[in-house]
Amino acid sequence: KENGMIQIEQFRYGDNLAYLLYGKTAAMAIDGGAWQEILTFLKQHGLSLRFVTNTHRHYDHTPGDDHLLGKTKAAFLDCRTLADHEKILLDGEPVVVYRTPGHSKDSVCFHAGNDLITGDTLFNATIGNCFTGDLRGFFESIQRLMALPDDTRIFAGHDYVRDSLTFARHLEPDNPAIERFRQTCDPYFLYSTLAQEKKMNPYLRFNEEPIVRLLQKRKLPRATEWERWQSLMTIE
């Protein structure tokens, strides 16, 4: 699917989502668990795989790495050593790395044009689990992503949409944006815009009046946005 100079293709394996970013000749696989489908796509489009990398090194995001590296001349980019704001060039166009610790210490996002591959940091209508225990760091990572332009397209590491929208509706049953997204999202090319996330994702709505009222009703701390976000993370 074209979006500016660098294009993006999405592949499924289980509920995981793999990605290929590509220009006219060069491509980069991210969380390439659907490695057979990726190799087929590369061949069909006459693309050379230059890089293989991951949004983080959890096992469900890495099973395609060795297959892709073994069957191409691609170089492996270890997400644990990528620098914040590092630029990876595909046919001269930049893919920018953001370090976004929280779900894992090594979590990164990849930004190309107005497409953002977020792994397990930010999902469509929810966020990842904070396995590091560093809630403050995770909050800062989410705030960083929220500062991007509203038309940024969010491509997540899993399709958790059904459960995520159900939980969002549980918290905000009168929020029309939740059902609107459910009816309009394309399961075969799944993404949301940051503008949509700000309207439906409770973990990005910690400053919105309905969420503040919800925290008040549940007698949870809400004096600052950091307290509100912490309180949201405790709700089941």
Side-chain angles (χ1 to χ4, degrees):
K1 301 295 188 296
E2 188 166 1
N3 180 27
M5 297 296 290
I6 293 181
Q7 300 182 58
I8 186 168
E9 193 70 19
Q10 184 180 71
F11 306 84
R12 287 176 176 262
Y13 60 108
D15 65 24
N16 277 78
L17 297 170
Y19 295 96
L20 198 67
L21 294 176
Y22 62 98
K24 292 181 179 178
T25 63
M28 170 179 172
I30 301 171
D31 296 345
W35 61 273
Q36 291 167 307
E37 292 86 349
I38 289 172
L39 290 172
T40 298
F41 185 90
L42 292 167
K43 185 176 181 180
Q44 288 175 342
H45 292 79
L47 295 167
S48 171
L49 188 65
R50 293 283 308 281
F51 305 110
V52 171
T53 191
N54 309 98
T55 58
H56 60 301
R57 295 291 299 165
H58 285 170
Y59 72 93
D60 56 325
H61 293 259
T62 62
D65 291 2
D66 289 344
H67 295 285
L68 292 171
L69 293 168
K71 296 179 184 298
T72 69
K73 296 179 180 179
F76 177 64
L77 301 178
D78 190 336
C79 63
R80 293 169 291 193
T81 61
L82 291 173
D84 196 38
H85 283 293
E86 183 169 344
K87 290 183 173 67
I88 302 159
L89 296 181
L90 288 178
D91 293 329
E93 294 295 322
V95 179
V96 183
V97 177
Y98 302 145
R99 300 211 64 85
T100 51
H103 173 73
S104 63
K105 289 183 179 180
D106 60 357
S107 288
V108 298
C109 297
F110 296 94
H111 198 187
N114 69 331
D115 289 341
L116 186 70
I117 297 175
T118 55
D120 290 4
T121 297
L122 176 60
F123 294 117
N124 309 115
T126 191
I127 59 173
N129 291 312
C130 186
F131 289 131
T132 61
D134 181 12
L135 276 176
R136 185 81 203 194
F138 200 6
F139 177 56
E140 291 170 357
S141 293
I142 294 298
Q143 283 185 307
R144 178 181 191 179
L145 299 184
M146 288 178 67
L148 294 171
D150 277 353
D151 66 349
T152 303
R153 301 198 301 180
I154 307 300
F155 290 91
H158 294 265
D159 178 356
Y160 289 159
V161 166
R162 180 189 295 182
D163 289 345
S164 300
L165 292 176
T166 298
F167 183 70
R169 192 183 298 115
H170 167 66
L171 296 186
E172 288 191 272
D174 299 324
N175 183 345
I178 297 168
E179 180 62 20
R180 191 180 307 128
F181 181 75
R182 188 189 69 80
Q183 292 185 1
T184 58
C185 69
D186 180 357
Y188 299 103
F189 188 62
L190 182 61
Y191 71 92
S192 54
T193 65
L194 191 57
Q196 288 173 316
E197 290 300 320
K198 289 177 180 179
K199 291 178 180 177
M200 68 177 175
N201 188 331
Y203 301 100
L204 274 58
R205 292 175 54 74
F206 46 83
N207 288 329
E208 301 300 324
E209 189 59 36
I211 293 295
V212 176
R213 286 200 306 267
L214 172 70
L215 299 178
Q216 182 179 11
K217 183 178 178 181
R218 298 196 179 201
K219 295 182 171 56
L220 292 168
R222 61 189 186 280
T224 65
E225 57 182 21
W226 165 231
E227 285 187 352
R228 293 192 287 276
W229 199 76
Q230 280 182 291
S231 294
L232 274 171
M233 294 291 278
T234 68
I235 295 178
E236 295 182 354

